[in-house]
Amino acid sequence: MKKLPLHIKVIIGLVLGAIYAFMSVKFGWNTFTLNYIKPFGDIFINILKLIAVPLVLFSIITGVASLKDIKKLGRMGAKTLGLYLVTTVIAVSLGLVLVNLYKPGNKVSDEIRKEFRISYELWQKSTPGVQKLDDVCLSCDPKNADLVAKVQKKEGNTENNEWVTDKLMKAKNNSKNGPLQPLVDVVPSNLFKALADMSMLQIIFFAVFFGVVLVSIPKKKAKPVFKVVDGLNEIFVKMVMIVMEAMPIFVFALMAGQIVKAAGTDPDKFFELLAFLGQYSITLVVGLAIMIFGFYPAIVALFTKKLTFKSFLQGIRDAQITAFSTSSSVATLPVTMRCMHDNVKVPKKITSFVLPIGATVNMDGTSLYQAVAVVAMAQLHMVDLTISQQLVIIVTASLASIGAAAIPSAGLVLMILVLESVGLNPAWIAIIFPVDRILDMCRTVTNVTGDATVATLIAESEGELDEKSEND
Ligand code: ASP
């Protein structure tokens, strides 16, 4: 067992965790699993989050301060944000192409789709300010009176998922804020609150500010501060390495706990929607796989001299497996940084600046997922979205993915905005909720691979791929 490479051990942990979870459900060990196995998965996520916040803070400060030249920082910042935006738009567009070609929402029986359509029409009529998107009206047709009554009865009986209801309420309250609120939110009024809330954009803002000022004060004063910050950074990197060694066991507990927890949620609804959820998941997973195993390694191989398709994927494998196990780009960040530095040979001053920003603002998988999910659900409700509505989806899904926190299920919550932007019912997020966790695992791998790709391209464009920088 000792000789096996870490990623194989982690995969074994994942598979054993899944097998154990099914046994637990079958033989009724769920209480034991939730009480004594799941907590170790929670401990794993806690440790990664614990490391991620100070690591982002100290690594960005050292990254910015070791660039020394503010002009270079500006150039790299612009390139980073530009590339992140381009990859996000490519991902959403790929999602839209796939969902329009494969039409997962149309592959469900007409009977079920008619019910969904009627429920959409009833919602549209009873919600003030929501425009009608087409001239179809099944609920107006007397022939459908029975179906309308059935839908009304069903909706009266459905108990709303507490989690979904809570998120919808919160989104309603937030929509009262002004258009520049997101900008205001980037600037923290209290550093310690930002750290405690894990507000990554605020932490990045402070760290860049601190790093820039650090290089502008006299060298004699700056040097000891830099040394302390760099030393602290080193400590957190080392912590990641230690946690990684125990990852196979943690991952076992995480997987077992998640599956057992999910098994307790509304199985009836799940089976009724199985056909739709299956087709939708296939479309999404194909899109994410094209990005992870096609697009990213291909552009890295194309634009860099030293890396090949295979060497890039091999280099970031541990980060991908961690992303899959944790469903959180931020929790994966420490591992991504280690892989990029040790294996892909991107210097620390680039990884420490590009990757934390990427984990927060660059979520290609999340934006692709939002495009696929919104259009597929519209198809399920027999709503044909026009080209201009799909363009609105590109814009809102890209913005929503920037705003999404890099934690499990963040993309699902932000989908409320995308649905509202095209006049659809935000409560539809409940439809895809049952399969969201497993798809979250897949889209987080895409998010992390996208960040790694951009960091590699930036290093190549700066002529620093595989070069030893002074603080490496
Ligand atoms: N879990 C994803 C991430 O951390 C975000 C999402 O929910 O799509 O990257």
Side-chain angles (χ1 to χ4, degrees):
M1 186 79 183
K2 246 199 145 173
K3 291 220 181 71
L4 285 177
L6 183 67
H7 69 275
I8 301 282
K9 288 196 226 166
V10 174
I11 292 172
I12 294 175
L14 276 174
V15 174
L16 289 182
I19 296 174
Y20 170 82
F22 288 114
M23 287 169 59
S24 162
V25 174
K26 193 161 168 35
F27 299 121
W29 308 333
N30 286 1
T31 316
F32 173 81
T33 309
L34 292 175
N35 284 342
Y36 295 100
I37 307 268
K38 186 176 167 288
F40 291 96
D42 298 340
I43 289 175
F44 177 50
I45 300 276
N46 284 356
I47 296 184
L48 286 175
K49 284 188 179 166
L50 171 77
I51 301 173
V53 171
L55 188 71
V56 167
L57 180 69
F58 298 129
S59 77
I60 293 191
I61 296 176
T62 36
V64 171
S66 50
L67 284 177
K68 291 194 179 84
D69 166 7
I70 302 293
K71 253 203 224 136
K72 184 165 177 174
L73 174 69
R75 190 182 62 222
M76 242 172 68
K79 265 198 277 188
T80 304
L81 293 181
L83 276 178
Y84 279 151
L85 200 65
V86 172
T87 53
T88 302
V89 172
I90 291 175
V92 199
S93 311
L94 173 69
L96 284 180
V97 170
L98 289 176
V99 74
N100 281 298
L101 284 180
Y102 188 65
K103 299 194 183 354
N106 292 3
K107 298 204 163 37
V108 177
S109 78
D110 272 355
E111 206 46 39
I112 293 186
R113 286 181 76 210
K114 266 190 184 166
E115 280 186 28
F116 275 105
R117 170 76 205 189
I118 288 171
S119 114
Y120 159 71
E121 287 174 8
L122 298 179
W123 167 80
Q124 186 268 326
K125 278 186 209 155
S126 63
T127 314
V130 176
Q131 302 273 336
K132 218 166 168 266
L133 296 180
D134 50 32
D135 296 328
V136 183
C137 187
L138 295 189
S139 55
C140 312
D141 188 341
K143 268 193 291 180
N144 291 327
D146 285 352
L147 214 50
V148 174
K150 185 177 165 197
V151 171
Q152 275 167 333
K153 189 164 167 234
K154 237 186 189 174
E155 288 190 352
N157 288 341
T158 339
E159 249 184 66
N160 273 333
N161 178 324
E162 248 174 61
W163 186 88
V164 171
T165 317
D166 177 56
K167 301 297 165 206
L168 288 170
M169 290 292 288
K170 282 200 179 126
K172 222 179 213 161
N173 293 339
N174 282 347
S175 63
K176 292 188 191 106
N177 292 332
L180 289 188
Q181 193 58 37
L183 199 64
V184 176
D185 289 343
V186 172
V187 186
S189 59
N190 181 329
L191 173 65
F192 298 99
K193 185 164 187 309
L195 293 171
D197 293 347
M198 289 189 77
S199 307
M200 286 305 181
L201 280 179
Q202 298 191 343
I203 298 171
I204 292 172
F205 174 86
F206 173 80
V208 172
F209 193 19
F210 192 101
V212 169
V213 175
L214 186 60
V215 273
S216 68
I217 62 172
K219 259 207 177 119
K220 227 173 96 197
K221 298 232 160 103
K223 218 169 174 189
V225 179
F226 182 84
K227 275 198 170 150
V228 169
V229 176
D230 194 36
L232 285 168
N233 194 25
E234 209 55 53
I235 292 176
F236 286 100
V237 171
K238 181 79 190 170
M239 283 184 180
V240 180
M241 311 243 197
I242 295 170
V243 175
M244 290 284 292
E245 288 304 313
M247 201 160 116
I249 295 168
F250 280 137
V251 159
F252 169 86
L254 195 65
M255 195 70 186
Q258 283 303 331
I259 296 182
V260 168
K261 203 172 130 209
T265 54
D266 210 356
D268 291 348
K269 194 134 197 208
F270 178 73
F271 286 113
E272 191 189 296
L273 285 169
L274 199 60
F276 170 70
L277 293 176
Q279 301 289 350
Y280 148 72
S281 304
I282 291 172
T283 318
L284 178 56
V285 170
V286 167
L288 297 175
I290 293 176
M291 293 299 289
I292 301 169
F293 301 111
F295 177 71
Y296 296 129
I299 56 169
V300 166
L302 198 68
F303 289 107
T304 63
K305 284 185 222 87
K306 293 195 176 104
L307 289 163
T308 62
F309 198 95
K310 208 168 145 206
S311 67
F312 174 70
L313 279 179
Q314 261 170 1
I316 57 165
R317 195 167 40 201
D318 285 351
Q320 289 179 324
I321 293 174
T322 316
F324 187 77
S325 330
T326 59
S327 291
S328 167
S329 308
V330 163
T332 310
L333 185 63
V335 185
T336 320
M337 289 173 89
R338 191 186 59 77
C339 287
M340 292 302 288
H341 183 251
D342 294 358
N343 309 341
V344 186
K345 308 287 180 211
V346 175
K348 242 201 246 167
K349 61 183 169 204
I350 294 187
T351 54
S352 58
F353 177 69
V354 178
L355 291 175
I357 296 182
T360 315
V361 305
N362 183 47
M363 295 195 187
D364 300 346
T366 303
S367 57
L368 189 152
Y369 144 79
Q370 286 174 339
V372 171
V374 170
V375 178
M377 286 193 285
Q379 291 166 347
L380 176 69
H381 291 78
M382 295 178 158
V383 176
D384 269 330
L385 294 173
T386 59
I387 296 283
S388 59
Q389 281 161 332
Q390 301 213 13
L391 286 177
V392 172
I393 294 181
I394 296 190
V395 176
T396 44
S398 303
L399 291 178
S401 73
I402 294 173
I407 52 169
S409 298
L412 181 65
V413 178
L414 264 289
M415 197 183 301
I416 295 174
L417 289 184
V418 186
L419 284 164
E420 280 177 340
S421 72
V422 276
L424 298 171
N425 187 353
W428 288 359
I429 60 168
I431 297 174
I432 48 172
F433 183 80
V435 284
D436 202 63
R437 182 61 196 222
I438 175 84
L439 297 175
D440 195 357
M441 295 162 83
C442 304
R443 64 185 190 251
T444 308
V445 178
T446 314
N447 292 346
V448 167
T449 313
D451 301 341
T453 304
V454 170
T456 311
L457 296 181
I458 300 274
E460 176 75 18
S461 76
E462 294 285 321
E464 307 218 30
L465 199 58
D466 208 359
E467 271 178 20
K468 286 275 163 214
S469 73
E470 63 204 61
N471 64 332
D472 273 355

